[in-house]
Every structure is written in C-alpha cells, then in structure tokens.
C-alpha cells in the first residue's frame, strides 16, 4: 500500500519516527512536511536527531493566520496528492496541517487515517479543537490513544473502524530516551542539577495572542525561587519583545531545543509547566508533576490521576501549585505500552483491503510541470 504521511509541527515529527520504522518493511511511505514549523530547532533538527530521512516534499508554507496557513497547505498538498495518488493519507493530532491534510485528501476521495483520534478539550475557542472535530468526522480509520478517545467518538456516533492503539509519542520516547541520555549535554551547558530546576514551554495562541495572559505567566515565573528553563518558541519570543515582558535572571530564556535535549530537560526537571499537549504526556511518562497553562486539556486522564493540574494563566494559581502539586505514587499505563506503531501497521495491513475501493477517484488533471517544483 502506498501511504502519504503528513507532518508539520513538533509532535508530528516525533510521531513520524517510530511509525516510519514500523511501516518500512510492509508499505511505501511518502513523507510530506507542510512547513508549518519552519525554524530549524522546531523542524529540521528533529529529522536530523531522529535519523529520519528528509521529507519527500516540503510545502514551505511558513507562518501566518489560521486561514492563510490552512489554505496554503491545501493548495500545495493537492498537487502532491494528484502526483503521488496514494492509497491512504495519514494525519496526526490537531494542527492546521492535520486539518488541511484531511480536507485535501477527502476532496480527492483518498481515505484518511487519523492518529490521536477522539481527543477533546471541549473548548471550541481553541483552533486545535476544531481541527480535531473536523478531521475525525471525515477520517476513514481512527487510531485512539486511550479508551477515552474510543468513548468520545462513540458519543459522537463514530463507531466503525475505531481502534485503541496507544500513544505513538510514547513509542518515540522509549526508543530515543536512552540515546538522549548518552548524547545530550544540555544540563552541563546550562549548569543545571537534576531535580533542582523547573521547565516551562508556552506556544498556544490562547496564551501568546493575549498579552495580559503571557504577562501573568512571566510574572509568576519571576516570583519563583528556583532556576526556570524556558525554551522560547519563535512566536512567543516575538510577543514577549513586543509587550516588553522581562524575565528575571533565574529564568533561563533559551532558544528552542532539539528532541534529545528536550527529553533530558523533561526527565530531570522537578516540575514542568506547559500549554503543550505533547509535553503534558511526556511529563506523565517521565513521572514529572505538570502544571498545564490552560483552562482545559484533551489529556484529562493525567489530571484525573493527579499528575497534571490545570492552572491556566492565573498568576496566583500558578504560584499556589508550583511547590504543592504532589502526585500519587501510582502512574498507570493509560496510553499504552510503547507498541502503538506496530499496532497501527498491523491494522493498516489488515484494513488495507477493506478500505472502500468504490470511492469515485477524481481526474488527475495537473500537469507534471505544475508539481515538479515541489519534488
């Protein structure tokens, strides 16, 4: 089976690695990078560190509004789909790349598999929530991280071709952490002692597009009495500069780091504060307490189990929880056992013959000249 996989942001790069390894012996995979994340540390460094082959296509859409970014991906990806004519398109998570990839495929009557299907924050002010809802509605195959995803899809009337596989990001973490421990020098470079610092990441529009909320978070960080490592997303850095927010000296503002360094920073932190869904899960896998800088999360199980606490961008709530969050000893394997990629490939191999072959295929009218520039 010829599979076209779409990636565009950090969690998708990470997920691509274990699934690529699992797919290779059985199927042909075409990897398309939308260019949604284009900064080296947010993009190419992941391919370099994880020893993933460079993408077959880079759409180079860059930054922009949600509408512009989604539209550019649709326009450029359509040409690739028309050229490659894959049997299946794989999309992941909840980014603009996810939504645009699914829309481009369904318009060309190409079946879609959605990894991380069924996750919901129930907050439609988040663009990611809309991306999830639409993608699940038009996907052919739904790969769920946990039983909560299965149950949510069922409540929305989606019960066919829904599979519990676990978290591909856990697959990647288990594969790469031993390598990160050997190779990363980030603790020495930043003069950090394990469990004597905290780690913060902020990139969601909810926080970055509202200066008062970002200021609240920075004020909370400035009030802490321990070293804080703050790898700053390019968009976040720009807004910090615009609003004149000045982190204190104990807040180590650094450039975005690669995957190996990030794993080491996460594993050795005393506590993590983030608005990232991927980092919430990675904190859980490393048994690190997590404060989520959002009002809601799609990873509700981590909150229910006491390992994660929602504090939003409330300065008082952040400070009240920073030293008092005390998770239980128990940390069950709610997101699988690290074999999600193998499970997905088994299902794709089995279901490949069952994917609706009676869909009307479109006429592929684009010329070779129209698409060769993307090759």
């Amino acid at each position: 089976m010829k599979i076209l996989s779409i990636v565009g942001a950090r969690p998708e790069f990470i997920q691509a690695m274990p699934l690529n390894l699992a797919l290779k012996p059985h199927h042909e995979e075409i990897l398309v990078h939308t260019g949604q994340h284009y900064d080296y540390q947010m993009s190419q460094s992941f391919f370099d560190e994880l020893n993933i082959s460079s993408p077959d296509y880079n759409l180079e859409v860059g930054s922009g509004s949600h509408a512009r970014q989604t539209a550019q991906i649709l326009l450029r990806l359509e040409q690739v789909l028309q050229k490659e004519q894959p049997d299946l398109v794989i999309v992941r998570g909840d980014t603009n790349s996810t939504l645009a990839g699914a829309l481009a495929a369904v318009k060309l009557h190409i079946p879609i598999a959605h990894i991380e299907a069924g996750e919901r924050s129930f907050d439609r002010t988040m663009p990611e929530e809309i991306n999830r809802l639409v993608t699940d509605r038009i996907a052919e195959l739904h790969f769920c991280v946990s039983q909560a995803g299965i149950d949510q899809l069922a409540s929305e009337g989606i019960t066919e071709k829904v599979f519990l596989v676990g978290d591909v990001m856990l697959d990647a973490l288990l594969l790469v952490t031993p390598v990160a421990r050997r190779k990363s020098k980030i603790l020495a470079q930043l003069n950090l002692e394990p469990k004597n610092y905290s780690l913060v990441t902020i990139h969601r529009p909810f926080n970055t597009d509202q200066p008062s909320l970002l200021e609240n978070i920075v004020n909370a960080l400035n009030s802490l009495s321990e070293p804080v490592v703050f790898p700053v997303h390019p968009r976040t850095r720009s807004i910090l500069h615009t609003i004149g927010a000045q982190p204190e000296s104990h807040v180590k503002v650094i450039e975005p780091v690669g995957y190996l360094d990030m794993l080491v920073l996460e594993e050795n932190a005393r506590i993590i504060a983030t608005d990232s869904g991927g980092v919430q899960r990675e904190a859980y896998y490393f048994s690190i307490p997590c404060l989520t800088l959002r009002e809601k999360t799609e990873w509700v199980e981590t909150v229910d189990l006491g390992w994660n606490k929602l504090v939003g961008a409330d300065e008082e709530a952040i400070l009240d929880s920073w030293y008092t969050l005390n998770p239980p000893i128990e940390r069950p394997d709610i997101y699988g056992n690290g074999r999600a990629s193998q499970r997905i490939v088994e299902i794709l191999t089995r279901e490949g013959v069952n994917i609706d072959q009676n869909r009307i295929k479109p006429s592929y009218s684009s010329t070779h000249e129209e698409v060769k520039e993307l090759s």
Side-chain angles (χ1 to χ4, degrees):
M1 186 160 55
K2 187 176 186 179
I3 296 171
L4 190 141
S5 287
I6 296 170
V7 296
R10 174 188 182 274
E12 296 163 342
F13 305 144
I14 295 168
Q15 289 179 354
M17 182 267 293
L19 187 57
N20 175 263
L21 293 175
L23 281 170
K24 272 184 179 178
H26 308 282
H27 303 285
E28 178 186 0
E29 183 182 28
I30 306 296
L31 187 63
V32 176
H33 179 8
T34 66
Q36 179 175 335
H37 278 175
Y38 54 91
D39 178 270
Y40 174 79
Q41 288 297 350
M42 301 298 295
S43 175
Q44 187 58 43
S45 70
F46 288 91
F47 295 102
D48 295 342
E49 288 187 333
L50 300 178
N51 198 27
I52 304 172
S53 299
S54 293
D56 298 282
Y57 298 89
N58 189 330
L59 306 185
E60 299 182 343
V61 299
S63 62
S65 70
H66 291 290
R68 181 191 178 282
Q69 200 172 63
T70 302
Q72 288 296 321
I73 297 171
L74 276 166
L75 287 167
R76 301 179 191 192
L77 182 60
E78 182 183 58
Q79 298 178 47
V80 176
L81 293 172
Q82 289 172 326
K83 177 184 177 182
E84 295 292 346
Q85 301 187 40
D87 300 301
L88 178 76
V89 166
I90 291 178
V91 295
R92 303 160 162 87
D94 56 17
T95 66
N96 289 339
S97 297
T98 307
L99 174 64
L103 287 173
V106 76
K107 292 288 187 176
L108 294 175
H109 309 285
I110 303 168
I112 302 154
H114 184 203
I115 295 174
E116 291 184 15
E119 299 301 329
R120 299 287 183 269
S121 68
F122 304 102
D123 181 358
R124 293 200 178 193
T125 66
M126 294 178 60
E128 295 85 359
E129 183 77 349
I130 305 304
N131 295 345
R132 286 188 283 262
L133 285 163
V134 175
T135 301
D136 279 337
R137 183 54 59 183
I138 60 179
E140 179 95 4
L141 302 174
H142 304 81
F143 296 125
C144 297
V145 169
S146 69
Q147 185 61 43
I150 301 276
D151 296 342
Q152 181 58 37
L153 289 176
S155 74
E156 296 172 9
I158 302 172
T159 57
E160 294 187 6
K161 297 186 179 179
V162 176
F163 306 95
L164 177 59
V165 297
D167 189 3
V168 177
M169 287 189 71
L170 175 58
D171 298 12
L173 184 144
L174 293 176
L175 283 170
V176 178
T177 297
V179 179
R181 290 168 180 161
R182 292 196 307 271
K183 291 189 173 183
S184 174
K185 308 298 182 186
I186 192 68
L187 296 186
Q189 290 168 0
L190 297 178
N191 195 27
L192 297 171
E193 293 292 331
K195 305 306 176 185
N196 284 328
Y197 67 91
S198 52
L199 176 66
V200 176
T201 74
I202 307 167
H203 78 282
R204 294 275 183 178
F206 177 81
N207 287 320
T208 61
D209 293 354
Q210 301 185 67
S212 62
L213 298 187
L214 190 55
E215 269 192 299
N216 287 346
I217 296 171
V218 172
N219 288 340
L221 300 182
N222 286 343
S223 299
L224 298 172
S225 59
E226 67 179 348
V228 179
V229 180
F230 186 8
V232 181
H233 188 283
R235 180 173 65 246
T236 309
R237 181 181 290 276
S238 174
I239 297 169
L240 284 171
H241 177 74
T242 298
I243 66 176
Q246 294 290 334
E248 297 290 345
S249 59
H250 67 276
V251 181
K252 298 176 181 287
V253 177
I254 64 173
E255 293 297 318
V257 296
Y259 186 45
L260 300 185
D261 285 343
M262 190 63 179
L263 289 179
V264 169
L265 286 172
E266 289 173 344
E267 185 180 25
N268 290 282
R270 186 191 63 80
I271 191 169
I272 293 173
T274 186
D275 58 11
S276 162
V279 175
Q280 287 176 59
R281 283 135 68 199
E282 288 165 346
Y284 183 79
Y285 300 144
F286 280 131
S287 301
I288 307 299
C290 182
L291 298 179
T292 292
L293 304 171
R294 289 159 50 183
E295 300 295 336
K296 297 180 180 179
T297 180
E298 57 276 23
W299 306 105
V300 293
E301 300 96 335
T302 62
V303 177
D304 293 341
L305 290 167
W307 282 89
N308 189 1
K309 185 174 181 179
L310 300 173
V311 293
D314 185 299
E315 181 179 349
E316 185 176 347
I318 294 169
L319 293 174
D320 284 348
S321 301
W322 200 270
Y323 297 104
T324 59
L325 180 59
N326 187 24
I329 295 175
E330 183 180 0
R331 190 187 54 79
D333 295 333
I334 51 176
Y335 298 133
N337 58 7
R339 294 185 55 82
S341 299
Q342 289 87 342
R343 175 73 175 137
I344 289 170
V345 172
E346 290 168 4
I347 294 166
L348 289 177
T349 302
R350 183 183 73 233
E351 293 291 325
V353 297
N354 298 324
I355 291 174
D356 188 357
Q357 298 300 321
N358 295 319
R359 293 170 182 252
I360 299 173
K361 289 289 184 181
S363 59
Y364 291 94
S365 57
S366 292
T367 65
H368 178 67
E369 285 71 25
E370 288 176 311
V371 297
K372 68 181 180 180
E373 64 186 59
L374 295 171
S375 302

